[in-house]
Amino acid sequence: MSLLRANDIYGGYGGADILNGASIAVDKDEIVVIIGANGAGKSTLMKAVFGLLHVRSGEVVYRDAPITNGRPETMVTRGIAYVPQEHNVFPSLTVQENLEMGGYALKGDLRPRLETVYGLFPRLAERRRQEAGLMSGGERQMVAMGRALMIEPSLLMLDEPTAGLSPRLIDETFQRIASIRDLGIGVLMVEQNAKQALAIADRGYVLATGANRFEDTGPNLLANREVAEMFLGG
Amino acid sequence: MYTLIELMQLSIYGIVLGSILTLGAIGVSMIFGILRFAHFAHGDLLTVGAYCGLGFLSLTGAPVWFALPAGMAGAAVVAVLVDQAVYRQIRRTQPVILLISSFGMGLIIRSVVQVIWGPDVYSYPGGIQRPWQIWELSIIPNHVWILLAAVVLVALLHLFLTRTRLGKAMRAMSDNMDLALVTGIPAERVIMITWIIGGALAAGAGVLLGMDSRLTPMMGWSTLLPIFAAAIVGGIGRPYGAIAGGMLIGLAMEISTLFIDPSYKLAVAFVIMVAVLIVRPHGILKGAW
């Protein structure tokens, strides 16, 4: 049984379909990465899973329960967290307030969860009183991930978590994502830095024009000559 | 010397007017931040609050200051009812539709007030107060209480916004609506609390305005424009900016009477607003809130 399965998804933003039968599955303890050219429907697929755009046909199943076209707030209470690519922090709130908001949907004591997030991102602990909008891109990405982790998700969905970061920060971010997986959380992410993402991924999907082109383990996709030519820059 | 005293005297009036405008402008700013439309019925919530306070006093014979909590409760209820009955139904339409609807709601509220209380002018019990003479200045006791009440209300709001879960959620929604949605913040609950607070603060402004002068069904409507000027000067959507905006507009309006005819006060408010926007297009305060 997979944690999350999306089967044969069709849908878009109201006009023509962007997704044309894409399917993915994520298990707990694994990092699954979606790669593909611009416009292949990677982010769209993630939004469709989270209920942010209408799935016209196909089904999304989470822990054996259908959640197709569910409302985003119910996704959160089920244990699915989503980090958008941009505008993913509350800029006028402090780091700590951002994290508290992340935990809003889950009742109970926030302190142990705050400690977990601060343990994972020590830099956030140092800057807990800083306004998130005044932080660097890398720090903001940490706030965004920390915010999502505050509901103690079983599945974490990340839309291009390394976009716009320096090479050093990209490495650091991927290491963090690996340690999030080691907490037993399933991670589904869309990535442009395909090579590095596949290197830490357990499995990967290559999307083209809204449908699956390849799917395999991370290392196998990295070794695949066709994938390399098309998406990994030769 | 004479002008200096005059200036200080007018500054006192300006601070009193400013604190009344501030209470109105905070609500306008919060509602804009969360619901993204200019609420034109806000002035009439002020009127509702003032009259609810008056009604409570005449029913119970309670001391005049009980008008404040009674008016705040009344206007908060009206604000939530109007939102649920009207604005909620058209939440997903364009802002201009909400704006015009709120214009109409203001008209309806004003008419209802006039149907219940009539077009007569009322005032709160208490009569004319003897001003305190301090040095060359004369200070009306009510002005001190008005300022004090406004400071307490703003302080309570600040505590709510920075210390409570719901208050932080309000700031979060105003910051980034889409992210609030995917974070699982309950939007409708936050919207309701926004109306409760916005309505209550408007009523605070209404009761204080009533104490400073008199109650008429038009009192709120005619205060709406400087309230908007204050909210915009402060950077609309930022309640803390509204405090600075309210004070600036209030002071400018009163001090201007030193130089020009008092009937141009409102124009002064807008000249200040335009001047500030030319220099600082996002309002006088830095940062998002």
Side-chain angles (χ1 to χ4, degrees):
Chain A
M1 159 197 150
S2 299
L3 186 59
L4 176 91
R5 271 184 297 120
N7 299 328
D8 217 13
I9 302 292
Y10 288 81
Y13 295 96
D17 283 352
I18 293 171
L19 299 171
N20 298 299
S23 299
I24 45 165
V26 187
D27 258 321
K28 68 185 188 71
D29 304 316
E30 72 170 354
I31 295 175
V32 173
V33 61
I34 307 172
I35 61 172
N38 280 333
K42 307 180 296 278
S43 299
T44 312
L45 178 56
M46 203 121 84
K47 286 180 187 162
V49 167
F50 201 69
L52 290 172
L53 72 86
H54 187 72
V55 174
R56 194 171 57 72
S57 149
E59 62 165 358
V60 184
V61 180
Y62 177 73
R63 292 188 189 282
D64 283 343
I67 56 163
T68 320
N69 290 322
R71 292 159 57 86
E73 53 267 42
T74 66
M75 300 293 175
V76 174
T77 48
R78 284 170 188 273
I80 306 175
Y82 167 69
V83 180
Q85 181 186 347
E86 290 179 309
H87 306 298
N88 51 20
V89 299
F90 299 112
S92 80
L93 271 57
T94 65
V95 169
Q96 174 125 355
E97 286 171 339
N98 266 276
L99 299 182
E100 286 170 16
M101 286 301 107
Y104 198 104
L106 193 64
K107 302 271 177 293
D109 194 3
L110 285 178
R111 267 168 297 174
R113 287 179 263 159
L114 280 171
E115 288 319 308
T116 310
V117 171
Y118 286 142
L120 206 54
F121 302 106
R123 195 153 356 146
L124 296 187
E126 292 163 25
R127 314 227 162 156
R128 61 177 84 194
R129 306 241 164 270
Q130 169 125 48
E131 272 177 43
L134 301 175
M135 302 177 91
S136 70
E139 289 168 332
R140 234 182 291 181
Q141 200 61 48
M142 291 181 204
V143 175
M145 279 198 246
R147 191 221 90 226
L149 289 172
M150 287 296 290
I151 56 156
E152 297 182 322
S154 306
L155 175 66
L156 177 63
M157 305 209 292
L158 305 169
D159 195 348
E160 303 212 13
T162 67
L165 299 186
S166 70
R168 192 180 57 78
L169 278 172
I170 291 175
D171 287 344
E172 199 183 317
T173 304
F174 280 133
Q175 277 169 30
R176 291 284 180 272
I177 293 170
S179 31
I180 290 170
R181 178 225 7 229
D182 297 340
L183 294 172
I185 297 170
V187 179
L188 174 64
M189 65 173 170
V190 166
E191 256 306 329
Q192 291 285 3
N193 295 306
K195 263 186 198 168
Q196 275 170 289
L198 285 174
I200 63 152
D202 297 282
R203 293 184 307 110
Y205 294 84
V206 180
L207 240 55
T209 58
N212 296 30
R213 187 67 169 274
F214 300 97
E215 51 178 284
D216 211 328
T217 63
N220 282 354
L221 281 177
L222 272 177
N224 184 321
R225 275 190 53 197
E226 219 177 328
V227 173
E229 270 170 33
M230 288 167 69
F231 303 109
L232 305 179
Chain B
M1 190 61 189
Y2 173 75
T3 343
L4 181 66
I5 289 164
E6 189 90 331
L7 186 68
M8 289 173 71
Q9 189 72 56
L10 286 174
S11 299
I12 293 171
Y13 298 153
I15 289 169
V16 170
L17 177 62
S19 50
I20 290 170
L21 295 181
T22 293
L23 293 179
I26 288 174
V28 163
S29 225
M30 284 194 324
I31 290 163
F32 186 87
I34 304 246
L35 294 161
R36 300 281 145 195
F37 79 100
H39 184 228
F40 265 79
H42 211 72
D44 300 293
L45 287 179
L46 220 104
T47 312
V48 165
Y51 276 87
C52 282
L54 181 77
F56 182 79
L57 294 187
S58 51
L59 282 179
T60 62
V64 64
W65 279 98
F66 282 84
L68 193 60
M72 287 172 74
V77 169
V78 171
V80 169
L81 288 179
V82 167
D83 178 58
Q84 292 293 314
V86 182
Y87 305 143
R88 187 180 184 167
Q89 315 303 323
I90 50 175
R91 197 99 79 212
R92 309 257 166 248
T93 60
Q94 298 159 3
V96 67
I97 293 176
L98 278 155
L99 186 150
I100 298 297
S101 304
S102 73
F103 200 89
M105 269 325 295
L107 210 63
I108 293 171
I109 295 172
R110 215 174 309 147
S111 309
V112 171
V113 167
Q114 191 154 338
V115 166
I116 298 176
W117 280 281
D120 302 339
V121 173
Y122 289 92
S123 44
Y124 289 123
I128 312 258
Q129 290 181 314
R130 254 179 89 92
W132 297 326
Q133 288 297 330
I134 296 170
W135 186 48
E136 299 282 332
L137 299 171
S138 53
I139 295 175
I140 300 166
N142 257 359
H143 282 175
V144 177
W145 309 132
I146 288 171
L147 179 61
L148 218 61
V151 168
V152 168
L153 290 179
V154 169
L156 287 176
L157 175 76
H158 173 71
L159 287 179
F160 172 77
L161 288 175
T162 53
R163 298 281 189 277
T164 69
R165 213 163 83 104
L166 217 45
K168 291 174 197 176
M170 233 164 105
R171 287 161 53 213
M173 254 180 87
S174 177
D175 256 14
N176 190 335
M177 186 66 90
D178 294 337
L179 187 62
L181 184 73
V182 303
T183 302
I185 291 173
E188 282 300 328
R189 196 181 312 160
V190 174
I191 288 172
M192 189 179 288
I193 205 80
T194 305
W195 283 108
I196 290 174
I197 293 174
L201 290 178
V207 171
L208 299 182
L209 188 64
M211 287 181 170
D212 192 31
S213 56
R214 274 175 294 216
L215 284 74
T216 73
M218 291 294 287
M219 64 189 285
W221 175 246
S222 48
T223 319
L224 183 68
L225 288 177
I227 285 176
F228 267 114
I232 292 168
V233 163
I236 194 153
R238 304 170 177 184
Y240 291 107
I243 301 170
M247 283 299 160
L248 181 67
I249 296 289
L251 281 169
M253 282 172 74
E254 292 297 341
I255 291 174
S256 73
T257 59
L258 257 187
F259 314 102
I260 51 177
D261 191 283
S263 52
Y264 296 115
K265 269 189 198 178
L266 194 58
V268 170
F270 279 86
V271 169
I272 297 287
M273 182 189 92
V274 171
V276 168
L277 289 183
I278 289 170
V279 185
R280 295 193 66 96
H282 298 293
I284 36 185
L285 283 202
K286 281 186 184 164
W289 269 63

